[in-house]
Amino acid sequence: MITIPYLTALTTYFSYGLLFAFGQFRDFFRKIFDWWHASNLQGYAPICLGLEDFYIRRLYLRIQDCFGRPICSPPDAWFDVVERVSNDNNKTLKRTTKVSRCLNLGSYNYLGFAASDEYCTPRVIESLKRFSPSTCSTRVDGGTTTLHSELEECVANFVGKPAAIVFGMGYVTNSAILPVLIGKGGLIISDSLNHNSIVNGARGSGATIRVFQHNTPSHLENVLREHIAEGQPRTHRPWKKIIVVVEGIYSMEGELCQLPEIVAICKKYKAYVYLDEAHSIGAVGRTGRGVCELLGVDTADVEIMMGTFTKSFGSCGGYIAGSKELIEYLKYTCPAHLYATSISPPAAQQIISSIKVILGEDGSNRGAQKLAHIRENSNFFRSELQKMGFEVLGDNDSPVMPIMLYNPAKIPAFSRECLKRNVAVVTVAFPATPLLLARARICISAAHSRDDLIKALEVISEVGDLVGIKYFPAELYKERLEENRVKLE
């Protein structure tokens, strides 16, 4: 739970109110201008109504240079960011031929597999020559290669489930699977901060949806008890099925799910657990097997395990792991399996190879080293940020660490000032977060060296002082940074 200081909340509301008032003022004169110069679309309703695109026109476009920055190199610890210019007050941005070499604190490259790898890359190139970039077919037609079957077996063994099914897109894995698993007469109980893919999947299912307070098992139990007692709306019949949906690491909070307590409650009330491990699989746990391994939860107690390959494995796509009966059912009913093009063979090979490296099956201990580095880097960076006085969300071992910005004016200021100092960060605001809770989301990688992290800390500290986002008293951290340098040397 984030507690906002009253002064910060007041100034943030005032800033948004000012932007809204000036935006409405400009829209008023825009309507007069449009009426005076009548358009050729007489009789047509506007595609974008005033209030629907108000946020985009009056807020987002002012700072859109902070988002969607193109890069022209692999998303490694350092990458090349293409510079852009605007001649119309940020309405449009044009790419230039200039590039900036920046420290990458925004990509989900948790284990460093997004760059060229001595084991993975040669095998990916070989699979490209053998299978081509795409199967150009669905899995049920001609889109299942030997790589797809090997990948599903590999994933099932890695996460500790009897079977698995893979898809070409992580977002679709949630949004297409949930409507297949549950429908009218069922109950979905979802964490209040679950990802948008889960929200859309739940809405598309037709099931009744209830929300429990973020990562609060006691409130989950209250919601379960209340709705089991009441039954379905109007008829009060027993629910056909109840699914509780949570995430392993919450992508905007960096918090670990309280999985042991949630699993115990679901077992007590006979509800299924759907666990989204998009940000945790491969990144946490002694051998990278996610929050179940980290928190000591038996995977047999989690009926549906979901994850993506875009974070720790340097590829694309997603998976569902569960019982053989569940996976067989999904293969016959899930539209993402029946109608979507199968995952690219080189992408499948990248996942297989990276899992082998993580498990040490490549004949080296690089996987264990990567897991140790991501854990050490994450805990070091989080600790130093907190000592500087930043409000940092999340738990230890999590590679995702949001720095709270709050005020809308601080979103572009923080992003632009960091970029000037060759540090690329991701800023997140409404609607991805609640209106008051804008933040910068730092993603740490095993590819970052200690020198990289110290440089990032110096830049973020300097920009934090400039922008005014150190909401807590700072400790004497400069001496500690010097000590770290001496130890490194």
Side-chain angles (χ1 to χ4, degrees), residues 95-362:
R95 284 177 290 179
T96 67
T97 57
K98 297 179 181 180
V99 297
S100 299
R101 189 70 175 168
C102 295
L103 179 60
N104 180 8
L105 295 181
S107 299
Y108 304 133
N109 184 25
Y110 295 148
L111 295 184
F113 284 117
S116 179
D117 184 83
E118 61 187 71
Y119 182 83
C120 299
T121 305
R123 286 160 178 77
V124 171
I125 294 172
E126 183 61 32
S127 70
L128 177 63
K129 294 177 181 177
R130 180 182 176 191
F131 291 103
S132 85
S134 173
T135 62
C136 299
S137 183
T138 65
R139 288 291 302 275
V140 294
D141 294 331
T144 300
T145 67
T146 54
L147 282 178
H148 293 87
S149 301
E150 182 184 354
L151 173 60
E152 289 176 339
E153 183 179 349
C154 184
V155 168
N157 292 334
F158 183 67
V159 301
K161 280 292 187 181
I165 183 173
V166 297
F167 306 95
M169 184 179 177
Y171 187 97
V172 167
T173 306
N174 276 330
S175 60
I177 285 293
L178 283 169
V180 177
L181 292 176
I182 192 168
K184 188 176 181 181
L187 174 64
I188 295 175
I189 302 181
S190 178
D191 188 286
S192 61
L193 295 183
N194 273 341
H195 191 265
N196 181 261
S197 59
I198 295 174
V199 174
N200 283 343
R203 287 173 177 171
S205 68
T208 300
I209 304 168
R210 294 295 179 265
V211 174
F212 69 96
Q213 292 173 7
H214 171 58
N215 220 8
T216 308
S218 59
H219 188 246
L220 168 63
E221 183 169 15
N222 291 339
V223 173
L224 269 169
R225 187 190 301 117
E226 177 186 343
H227 285 85
I228 289 174
E230 289 181 358
Q232 295 184 38
R234 293 188 296 274
T235 64
H236 301 292
R237 292 175 181 172
W239 299 101
K240 294 180 180 178
K241 193 185 303 179
I242 302 175
I243 298 179
V244 175
V245 187
V246 293
E247 296 185 34
I249 292 178
Y250 290 89
S251 59
M252 290 298 169
E253 280 67 39
E255 295 177 0
L256 295 170
C257 171
Q258 295 191 29
L259 192 60
E261 296 86 350
I262 289 172
V263 166
I265 291 169
C266 290
K267 289 175 74 173
K268 178 180 177 181
Y269 291 94
K270 305 297 186 267
Y272 294 112
V273 179
Y274 183 108
L275 176 63
D276 179 344
E277 288 216 82
H279 287 267
S280 54
I281 191 68
V284 297
R286 187 179 61 84
T287 59
R289 287 181 165 89
V291 290
C292 287
E293 182 179 55
L294 180 67
L295 302 177
V297 175
D298 188 350
T299 55
D301 293 332
V302 180
E303 288 79 12
I304 305 127
M305 299 182 70
M306 177 270 176
T308 64
F309 305 121
T310 52
K311 280 77 177 179
S312 297
F313 307 99
S315 188
C316 62
Y319 69 84
I320 293 288
S323 65
K324 290 183 178 180
E325 294 78 14
L326 170 66
I327 300 305
E328 196 68 21
Y329 169 73
L330 293 177
K331 287 182 177 180
Y332 288 116
T333 56
C334 180
H337 182 79
L338 297 172
Y339 306 116
T341 303
S342 61
I343 190 171
S344 168
Q349 181 61 62
Q350 168 68 24
I351 303 161
I352 294 168
S353 300
S354 59
I355 290 176
K356 288 183 177 180
V357 173
I358 292 170
L359 297 177
E361 295 177 5
D362 63 330

Side-chain angles (χ1 to χ4, degrees), residues 454-465:
I454 290 173
K455 173 183 170 53
L457 288 167
E458 290 174 343
V459 169
I460 291 174
S461 177
E462 181 184 349
V463 175
D465 287 328

Side-chain angles (χ1 to χ4, degrees), residues 110-111 118 286 357-358 360 364-377 446-447:
Y110 295 148
L111 295 184
E118 61 187 71
R286 187 179 61 84
V357 173
I358 292 170
S364 73
N365 66 340
R366 289 194 307 120
Q369 290 176 354
K370 285 177 179 289
L371 289 168
H373 286 160
I374 183 66
R375 184 169 56 253
E376 291 168 5
N377 287 351

Side-chain angles (χ1 to χ4, degrees), residues 24 32 37 55 83 85 89 153 212 261 300 383 409 440 447 463 466:
Q24 291 290 349
I32 295 175
H37 298 83
Y55 182 85
E83 296 182 12
V85 296
N89 297 317
E153 183 179 349
F212 69 96
E261 296 86 350
S383 173
V463 175
L466 183 67

